[in-house]
Amino acid sequence: MNRTISALTLFALFCAFPAYADYSIEGKGTWPKEWPQELEPLRESSQTFEGPLAPLLHYAIPFGNREEFEAAWPNLLKVKSQGAPIVLRHGPSFWLGKKEKAGVCVHTPPDGQKPIAASKDASGNWDKTIYLELIVDGKVVDLNRIFLPPGTPIID
């Protein structure tokens, strides 16, 4: 009897206080319309994460084949803030989930907050810039086949 009362009390407490997730997730890429038109076909297969702070925006774009990634790569570089880093990761990735092994996550400031165009003005606070995180698998995303801009910090 005491167990039942305890369980019901705990259940009532959990119902009274809502749980807050660190991220809200939308099942498509909601990046700005000003981004290159060549990225438009990727919206439906992408996800948008909002959070955990400020709330920052993160656009996870999976790629199933090398040709699709290599076609999108120059346009993704156009979105990146000048001098902002490219972070290299090996899958699996939180951003892409367990199924996808290769892709890009574009990290941006909160919606409505203009990103700092040059990283030197960000004083190392990359959350104020637009920077890229590459999820590398060596097949779809192959670092030997893509252009990495000179002067861009590469974080491995």
Side-chain angles (χ1 to χ4, degrees), residues 98-113:
K98 294 178 182 173
K99 292 189 319 183
E100 304 295 336
K101 298 198 182 332
V104 176
C105 186
V106 182
H107 300 278
T108 71
D111 192 25
Q113 189 177 95

PDB file of all heavy atoms in Angstrom, residues 98-113:
ATOM      1  N   LYS A  98      21.516   8.047 -35.600  1.00  0.00           N
ATOM      2  CA  LYS A  98      22.251   6.786 -35.720  1.00  0.00           C
ATOM      3  C   LYS A  98      22.317   6.266 -37.148  1.00  0.00           C
ATOM      4  O   LYS A  98      23.248   5.558 -37.503  1.00  0.00           O
ATOM      5  CB  LYS A  98      21.615   5.734 -34.819  1.00  0.00           C
ATOM      6  CG  LYS A  98      21.750   6.068 -33.355  1.00  0.00           C
ATOM      7  CD  LYS A  98      21.067   5.048 -32.479  1.00  0.00           C
ATOM      8  CE  LYS A  98      21.186   5.469 -31.021  1.00  0.00           C
ATOM      9  NZ  LYS A  98      20.407   4.614 -30.151  1.00  0.00           N
ATOM     10  N   LYS A  99      21.320   6.586 -37.977  1.00  0.00           N
ATOM     11  CA  LYS A  99      21.276   6.027 -39.334  1.00  0.00           C
ATOM     12  C   LYS A  99      22.301   6.648 -40.269  1.00  0.00           C
ATOM     13  O   LYS A  99      22.939   5.958 -41.041  1.00  0.00           O
ATOM     14  CB  LYS A  99      19.884   6.220 -39.950  1.00  0.00           C
ATOM     15  CG  LYS A  99      18.801   5.404 -39.304  1.00  0.00           C
ATOM     16  CD  LYS A  99      17.502   5.459 -40.068  1.00  0.00           C
ATOM     17  CE  LYS A  99      17.185   6.839 -40.592  1.00  0.00           C
ATOM     18  NZ  LYS A  99      15.918   6.953 -41.280  1.00  0.00           N
ATOM     19  N   GLU A 100      22.441   7.964 -40.208  1.00  0.00           N
ATOM     20  CA  GLU A 100      23.295   8.685 -41.153  1.00  0.00           C
ATOM     21  C   GLU A 100      24.746   8.688 -40.672  1.00  0.00           C
ATOM     22  O   GLU A 100      25.011   8.873 -39.492  1.00  0.00           O
ATOM     23  CB  GLU A 100      22.798  10.117 -41.337  1.00  0.00           C
ATOM     24  CG  GLU A 100      21.360  10.221 -41.777  1.00  0.00           C
ATOM     25  CD  GLU A 100      21.099   9.652 -43.158  1.00  0.00           C
ATOM     26  OE1 GLU A 100      22.036   9.578 -43.971  1.00  0.00           O
ATOM     27  OE2 GLU A 100      19.955   9.275 -43.420  1.00  0.00           O
ATOM     28  N   LYS A 101      25.654   8.518 -41.612  1.00  0.00           N
ATOM     29  CA  LYS A 101      27.066   8.448 -41.247  1.00  0.00           C
ATOM     30  C   LYS A 101      27.882   9.640 -41.741  1.00  0.00           C
ATOM     31  O   LYS A 101      29.016   9.823 -41.335  1.00  0.00           O
ATOM     32  CB  LYS A 101      27.661   7.161 -41.802  1.00  0.00           C
ATOM     33  CG  LYS A 101      26.999   5.923 -41.220  1.00  0.00           C
ATOM     34  CD  LYS A 101      27.845   4.709 -41.424  1.00  0.00           C
ATOM     35  CE  LYS A 101      27.268   3.430 -40.937  1.00  0.00           C
ATOM     36  NZ  LYS A 101      26.351   3.424 -39.868  1.00  0.00           N
ATOM     37  N   ALA A 102      27.310  10.454 -42.634  1.00  0.00           N
ATOM     38  CA  ALA A 102      28.060  11.575 -43.196  1.00  0.00           C
ATOM     39  C   ALA A 102      27.141  12.764 -43.400  1.00  0.00           C
ATOM     40  O   ALA A 102      25.968  12.610 -43.742  1.00  0.00           O
ATOM     41  CB  ALA A 102      28.692  11.169 -44.527  1.00  0.00           C
ATOM     42  N   GLY A 103      27.695  13.952 -43.191  1.00  0.00           N
ATOM     43  CA  GLY A 103      26.896  15.149 -43.409  1.00  0.00           C
ATOM     44  C   GLY A 103      27.566  16.379 -42.836  1.00  0.00           C
ATOM     45  O   GLY A 103      28.752  16.385 -42.516  1.00  0.00           O
ATOM     46  N   VAL A 104      26.758  17.417 -42.714  1.00  0.00           N
ATOM     47  CA  VAL A 104      27.236  18.707 -42.228  1.00  0.00           C
ATOM     48  C   VAL A 104      26.218  19.239 -41.233  1.00  0.00           C
ATOM     49  O   VAL A 104      25.013  19.079 -41.419  1.00  0.00           O
ATOM     50  CB  VAL A 104      27.371  19.720 -43.395  1.00  0.00           C
ATOM     51  CG1 VAL A 104      27.783  21.089 -42.893  1.00  0.00           C
ATOM     52  CG2 VAL A 104      28.340  19.222 -44.440  1.00  0.00           C
ATOM     53  N   CYS A 105      26.710  19.864 -40.176  1.00  0.00           N
ATOM     54  CA  CYS A 105      25.842  20.624 -39.288  1.00  0.00           C
ATOM     55  C   CYS A 105      26.318  22.072 -39.357  1.00  0.00           C
ATOM     56  O   CYS A 105      27.492  22.359 -39.119  1.00  0.00           O
ATOM     57  CB  CYS A 105      25.889  20.103 -37.863  1.00  0.00           C
ATOM     58  SG  CYS A 105      24.672  20.934 -36.822  1.00  0.00           S
ATOM     59  N   VAL A 106      25.406  22.958 -39.728  1.00  0.00           N
ATOM     60  CA  VAL A 106      25.704  24.386 -39.805  1.00  0.00           C
ATOM     61  C   VAL A 106      25.217  25.000 -38.499  1.00  0.00           C
ATOM     62  O   VAL A 106      24.035  24.948 -38.178  1.00  0.00           O
ATOM     63  CB  VAL A 106      24.993  25.044 -41.009  1.00  0.00           C
ATOM     64  CG1 VAL A 106      25.357  26.519 -41.091  1.00  0.00           C
ATOM     65  CG2 VAL A 106      25.336  24.320 -42.305  1.00  0.00           C
ATOM     66  N   HIS A 107      26.147  25.564 -37.731  1.00  0.00           N
ATOM     67  CA  HIS A 107      25.832  26.163 -36.436  1.00  0.00           C
ATOM     68  C   HIS A 107      25.707  27.670 -36.618  1.00  0.00           C
ATOM     69  O   HIS A 107      26.608  28.305 -37.197  1.00  0.00           O
ATOM     70  CB  HIS A 107      26.933  25.862 -35.425  1.00  0.00           C
ATOM     71  CG  HIS A 107      27.140  24.396 -35.201  1.00  0.00           C
ATOM     72  ND1 HIS A 107      26.352  23.657 -34.345  1.00  0.00           N
ATOM     73  CD2 HIS A 107      28.034  23.527 -35.721  1.00  0.00           C
ATOM     74  CE1 HIS A 107      26.769  22.397 -34.340  1.00  0.00           C
ATOM     75  NE2 HIS A 107      27.785  22.294 -35.178  1.00  0.00           N
ATOM     76  N   THR A 108      24.601  28.251 -36.126  1.00  0.00           N
ATOM     77  CA  THR A 108      24.355  29.680 -36.300  1.00  0.00           C
ATOM     78  C   THR A 108      23.916  30.317 -34.990  1.00  0.00           C
ATOM     79  O   THR A 108      23.465  29.620 -34.075  1.00  0.00           O
ATOM     80  CB  THR A 108      23.272  29.936 -37.370  1.00  0.00           C
ATOM     81  OG1 THR A 108      22.000  29.543 -36.853  1.00  0.00           O
ATOM     82  CG2 THR A 108      23.567  29.197 -38.663  1.00  0.00           C
ATOM     83  N   PRO A 109      23.983  31.642 -34.921  1.00  0.00           N
ATOM     84  CA  PRO A 109      23.423  32.341 -33.752  1.00  0.00           C
ATOM     85  C   PRO A 109      21.899  32.192 -33.726  1.00  0.00           C
ATOM     86  O   PRO A 109      21.303  31.697 -34.678  1.00  0.00           O
ATOM     87  CB  PRO A 109      23.816  33.806 -33.997  1.00  0.00           C
ATOM     88  CG  PRO A 109      24.892  33.783 -35.010  1.00  0.00           C
ATOM     89  CD  PRO A 109      24.668  32.549 -35.833  1.00  0.00           C
ATOM     90  N   PRO A 110      21.266  32.657 -32.670  1.00  0.00           N
ATOM     91  CA  PRO A 110      19.807  32.574 -32.576  1.00  0.00           C
ATOM     92  C   PRO A 110      19.106  33.293 -33.728  1.00  0.00           C
ATOM     93  O   PRO A 110      19.653  34.229 -34.324  1.00  0.00           O
ATOM     94  CB  PRO A 110      19.485  33.259 -31.244  1.00  0.00           C
ATOM     95  CG  PRO A 110      20.742  33.155 -30.457  1.00  0.00           C
ATOM     96  CD  PRO A 110      21.861  33.216 -31.454  1.00  0.00           C
ATOM     97  N   ASP A 111      17.895  32.857 -34.013  1.00  0.00           N
ATOM     98  CA  ASP A 111      17.075  33.468 -35.054  1.00  0.00           C
ATOM     99  C   ASP A 111      16.913  34.957 -34.773  1.00  0.00           C
ATOM    100  O   ASP A 111      16.641  35.358 -33.648  1.00  0.00           O
ATOM    101  CB  ASP A 111      15.709  32.778 -35.095  1.00  0.00           C
ATOM    102  CG  ASP A 111      14.923  33.148 -36.333  1.00  0.00           C
ATOM    103  OD1 ASP A 111      15.538  33.526 -37.352  1.00  0.00           O
ATOM    104  OD2 ASP A 111      13.678  33.045 -36.287  1.00  0.00           O
ATOM    105  N   GLY A 112      17.113  35.761 -35.789  1.00  0.00           N
ATOM    106  CA  GLY A 112      16.977  37.205 -35.647  1.00  0.00           C
ATOM    107  C   GLY A 112      18.254  37.897 -35.212  1.00  0.00           C
ATOM    108  O   GLY A 112      18.331  39.122 -35.235  1.00  0.00           O
ATOM    109  N   GLN A 113      19.258  37.147 -34.807  1.00  0.00           N
ATOM    110  CA  GLN A 113      20.537  37.742 -34.401  1.00  0.00           C
ATOM    111  C   GLN A 113      21.508  37.607 -35.570  1.00  0.00           C
ATOM    112  O   GLN A 113      21.804  36.505 -36.009  1.00  0.00           O
ATOM    113  CB  GLN A 113      21.081  37.034 -33.168  1.00  0.00           C
ATOM    114  CG  GLN A 113      22.278  37.717 -32.559  1.00  0.00           C
ATOM    115  CD  GLN A 113      22.716  37.000 -31.300  1.00  0.00           C
ATOM    116  OE1 GLN A 113      23.593  36.164 -31.358  1.00  0.00           O
ATOM    117  NE2 GLN A 113      22.080  37.320 -30.189  1.00  0.00           N
TER     118      GLN A 113
END
